[in-house]
Amino acid sequence: MSDPVLTLSGIEKTFNPGTPGEIRVLRGANVTLARGEVVALVAPSGSGKSTLLHIAGLLDGADAGNVQINGQDMGAQNDRTRTEIRREQVGFVYQFHHLLPEFSALENIVLPQLAAGVPDRTARAHALELMERVKVADRASHRPAELSGGEQQRVAFCRALANRPALLLADEPTGNLDPGTSDTVFEALMELVRDTGLSALIATHNMDLAARMDRILHLDNGLIT
């Protein structure tokens, strides 16, 4: 059996430790994500979902515990290696698209590939392929401000997958959209994830969306249940 794509073991995180404002958001959380698995992470706002995703994606450090990506212990890696792993193996999608406003939709998907050393022509072809899969290829030359909210988020999905990561981390990826658009955009994300065969951990408070994934994890009082 192959190694899980993501393993979080005993993750702890406290903000403002030792002060009257101390908040212990993670108390030993454990998560294992198998290859090709799409898992929902469900919890109320402010419960630590984003913190857990940031630790899983190497954007933040834990106070205690261990993170493994593709069987590699992240605690044993230096900063440069961790940065390379984050860039090459992890994709992020947030509630707000965070697209670069001065670039076109296509260019927003091309740029991370260029940063990873992919030739321009190859990067553009792959970006267009991703855009076609989520039905926004006809908006390739438009800047983010010229796109609808659903189109912006679809482009953000493509950007997150541009460098062919093994792991996708999504934080309320449809939380900023109306219910009808949210459903359509979520289906586009699921189709893209399934087609590429990657693993995904998707934080959401929408139980209807969570029920469409392979498993549901609940974050409750700092622990995964």
Side-chain angles (χ1 to χ4, degrees):
M1 182 177 177
S2 61
D3 290 328
V5 170
L6 174 69
T7 304
L8 305 178
S9 304
I11 301 297
E12 298 183 13
K13 186 69 174 182
T14 300
F15 293 107
N16 306 315
T19 72
E22 178 175 298
I23 304 173
R24 192 178 181 195
V25 292
L26 299 173
R27 301 169 180 266
N30 299 307
V31 174
T32 300
L33 193 62
R35 295 190 183 280
E37 189 177 33
V38 182
V39 174
L41 177 63
V42 175
S45 297
S47 59
K49 296 193 304 294
S50 297
T51 300
L52 186 66
L53 289 177
H54 286 174
I55 291 171
L58 310 180
L59 292 174
D60 196 4
D63 297 331
N66 179 262
V67 178
Q68 291 188 22
I69 296 177
N70 279 327
Q72 289 182 279
D73 181 355
M74 295 299 100
Q77 312 303 322
N78 58 36
D79 288 344
R80 179 177 178 179
T81 300
R82 286 163 58 90
T83 298
E84 290 175 352
I85 290 170
R86 182 173 64 243
R87 184 180 63 232
E88 296 171 3
Q89 300 188 36
V90 183
F92 293 91
V93 178
Y94 299 96
Q95 180 174 346
F96 299 97
H97 58 79
H98 297 302
L99 298 172
L100 298 175
E102 66 271 30
F103 294 100
S104 70
L106 179 68
E107 289 166 341
N108 266 277
I109 304 167
V110 167
L111 285 172
Q113 298 181 73
L114 298 181
V118 178
D120 181 77
R121 180 177 295 182
T122 303
R124 287 179 179 273
H126 182 50
L128 279 172
E129 177 189 355
L130 289 171
M131 295 184 80
E132 287 169 357
R133 289 186 181 184
V134 295
K135 300 178 175 61
V136 289
D138 60 333
R139 310 292 278 170
S141 64
H142 291 69
R143 293 188 179 184
E146 300 171 309
L147 306 176
S148 69
E151 289 169 341
Q152 290 169 343
Q153 202 63 336
R154 291 180 192 216
V155 174
F157 296 162
C158 295
R159 181 183 59 184
L161 301 186
N163 283 332
R164 297 177 172 85
L167 172 65
L168 175 69
L169 301 171
D171 193 358
E172 299 283 1
T174 62
N176 194 42
L177 305 174
D178 66 78
T181 304
S182 173
D183 189 73
T184 301
V185 170
F186 180 77
E187 285 300 320
L189 173 61
M190 288 297 289
E191 183 176 345
L192 195 56
V193 168
R194 297 298 191 191
D195 284 350
T196 52
L198 54 74
S199 304
L201 182 61
I202 303 175
T204 181
H205 63 270
N206 187 323
M207 290 304 298
D208 289 336
L209 298 185
R212 303 183 201 179
M213 302 185 220
D214 299 326
R215 279 192 295 138
I216 299 176
L217 303 178
H218 293 270
L219 182 59
D220 182 23
N221 196 30
L223 294 169
I224 296 293
T225 61

